[in-house]
Amino acid sequence: MAERPLSPHLSVYRWAYTMTLSILHRASGAALAVALVGLVLWLVSASLGRDCYATLLPLLRSLPFKLVAWLAALALIYHGCNGLRHLAWDLGWGFERADARRSAALVVAATVLAGAFCLYLILRRGAGAP
Amino acid sequence: MSLRSPLARVSYHGAARDGVGHWWAQRVTASALAPLSAWLLVALLTLPASDYTAVTAWIGAGWNPVLLALTVLLACWHSWLGVQVIIEDYVHSPGRKIAGLLLSMGAHALLAASGIYAVLRIALRSAA
């Protein structure tokens, strides 16, 4: 194998918050791969019948699980919003530095707002009806 | 051992024309998953109750099983493509890289098949 130059040399760049969003896209994607296993396990347990699903219910209704579910929802919201940003770049839109920073701020704001609303919905379910 | 140079071996064969296949599949599945995953998230968050009757009734109702099966299939496909890139970027030993890629492919195929089968089983039971 020839000794070829490697790219990118991440350590030579001054840190910018758009870099953090970039690595968060990969991290949230990896988290969603794990969440996908949870979604399929949930579907399979429901398909196995009432008894199997009933043994799972106390876990589904526990606070630690709700927080994990919320983190998965947060990862989906972030990955989805930032994914739209990536799709816009693929169409050639928003490449200028100012545009990229503005869309980054928009993604963070949308994630925080929608994430907070999700937390409210998830916690409200336990307080009221089953 | 061949006496032909590496350059001669690859020259004049032309492009395979699938150079952007991975990139394109990732974008197409992403575009489909944008509305589908938003639908699933809202549906799960606003599910009236989490007990067996309510959950299976929702899974089997109307177009829900079709959209759910589609979401599971595309999410597995998209996740497979994404995990593949992560493994290729961070696992450097060729043996472990191949093993990881095969394991990820198998796991995602299993996930897609069992998820779709579960949705169909619930939907067909509630339709019968």
Side-chain angles (χ1 to χ4, degrees), chain A:
Chain A
M1 185 73 85
E3 286 295 319
R4 291 169 300 173
L6 293 169
S7 172
H9 296 280
L10 286 178
S11 55
V12 306
Y13 296 109
R14 186 168 50 82
W15 177 84
Y17 68 85
T18 44
M19 291 174 165
T20 307
L21 266 76
S22 173
I23 193 62
L24 269 180
H25 192 69
R26 180 166 280 201
S28 59
L32 285 171
V34 179
L36 187 57
V37 178
L39 175 73
V40 169
L41 284 178
W42 178 71
L43 289 169
V44 167
S45 75
S47 80
L48 289 177
R50 191 178 292 276
D51 294 339
C52 177
Y53 192 77
T55 57
L56 196 71
L57 256 186
L59 172 73
L60 293 182
R61 288 174 178 170
S62 68
L63 187 64
F65 175 81
K66 285 185 175 185
L67 291 180
V68 171
W70 176 63
L71 286 177
L74 202 62
L76 178 61
I77 294 166
Y78 176 75
H79 196 84
C81 290
N82 204 48
L84 293 178
R85 190 163 164 250
H86 271 280
L87 288 174
W89 284 334
D90 292 334
L91 293 171
W93 298 337
F95 269 128
E96 290 303 319
R97 186 157 65 178
D99 295 337
R101 289 187 173 170
R102 217 177 3 253
S103 62
L106 204 63
V107 165
V108 171
T111 306
V112 168
L113 285 177
F117 188 57
C118 277
L119 187 62
Y120 163 73
L121 286 177
I122 288 172
L123 292 180
R124 191 193 59 162
R125 187 192 291 281

Side-chain angles (χ1 to χ4, degrees), chain A residues 40 43-44 47, chain B residues 59 65-66 68-74 76 109-124:
Chain A
V40 169
L43 289 169
V44 167
S47 80
Chain B
I59 292 172
V66 177
L68 258 177
L70 200 57
T71 309
V72 168
L73 177 69
L74 291 173
C76 287
L110 186 69
L111 219 52
S114 43
I116 292 169
Y117 174 62
V119 170
L120 288 181
R121 211 172 152 190
I122 296 166
L124 294 176

Side-chain angles (χ1 to χ4, degrees), chain B residues 21-112:
Chain B
H22 184 284
W23 182 91
W24 182 243
Q26 197 168 41
R27 267 65 184 179
V28 171
T29 51
S31 307
L33 278 169
L36 284 172
S37 61
W39 163 77
L40 182 63
L41 181 64
V42 170
L44 290 181
L45 284 171
T46 56
L47 217 58
S50 54
D51 62 280
Y52 176 80
T53 314
V55 163
T56 50
W58 175 76
I59 292 172
W63 284 87
N64 288 353
V66 177
L67 293 178
L68 258 177
L70 200 57
T71 309
V72 168
L73 177 69
L74 291 173
C76 287
W77 189 355
H78 188 78
S79 173
W80 171 43
L81 296 172
V83 171
Q84 181 191 342
V85 174
I86 294 180
I87 292 174
E88 286 167 351
D89 276 1
Y90 299 133
V91 182
H92 298 305
S93 121
R96 285 168 61 187
K97 183 184 289 192
I98 296 289
L101 290 174
L102 287 176
L103 195 70
S104 162
M105 179 161 62
H108 281 99
L110 186 69
L111 219 52

